[in-house]
Amino acid sequence: MNQRPANIVLEESFLDVRAKVLEIAAVLDRVDRSLQDGTPLDEDISVRRDKIHDAIRLLLSEEPDRAERVQLLFSRKYSPAWRSELKVD
């Protein structure tokens, strides 16, 4: 498989990636400002925020397969009974 040079990948993707990073930063800023009133996050929402923080840590790592590890972080664990659990019969 021929890979494209890193310079080209970054040149073509930079603006899109920058926009996505800014969007994430803006959401986290809005959450932080909203928490200043002293109302804590609901437990399930707090878990979601923690997953976003974990995903950011994965992105900052130098280990390979970041996309796969982030996908697995946000995925449900496999259950053989998933059809009945999700009522997809």
Side-chain angles (χ1 to χ4, degrees):
M1 172 205 251
N2 291 337
Q3 293 184 1
R4 294 179 14 221
N7 287 328
I8 292 173
V9 172
L10 283 170
E11 178 66 25
E12 291 176 353
S13 303
F14 181 77
L15 293 176
D16 289 334
V17 171
R18 182 187 75 165
K20 292 171 185 176
V21 169
L22 286 169
E23 182 177 353
I24 293 166
V27 168
L28 293 174
D29 284 348
R30 287 194 299 272
V31 168
D32 290 345
R33 281 193 300 273
S34 295
L35 290 172
Q36 289 177 355
D37 73 359
T39 305
L41 290 174
D42 294 340
E43 186 176 339
D44 58 328
I45 300 300
S46 181
V47 168
R48 288 180 176 186
R49 184 187 60 179
D50 292 345
K51 282 191 177 196
I52 291 170
H53 287 186
D54 291 343
I56 292 168
R57 281 189 279 281
L58 286 172
L59 292 175
L60 292 172
S61 76
E62 295 291 329
E63 297 175 29
D65 302 322
R66 286 180 287 249
E68 178 182 355
R69 290 185 290 125
V70 169
Q71 176 64 46
L72 290 172
L73 174 69
F74 288 112
S75 297
R76 294 178 184 209
K77 293 193 187 299
Y78 177 74
S79 168
W82 69 270
R83 286 187 175 274
S84 62
E85 291 169 0
L86 297 175
K87 297 177 178 47
V88 182
D89 291 310

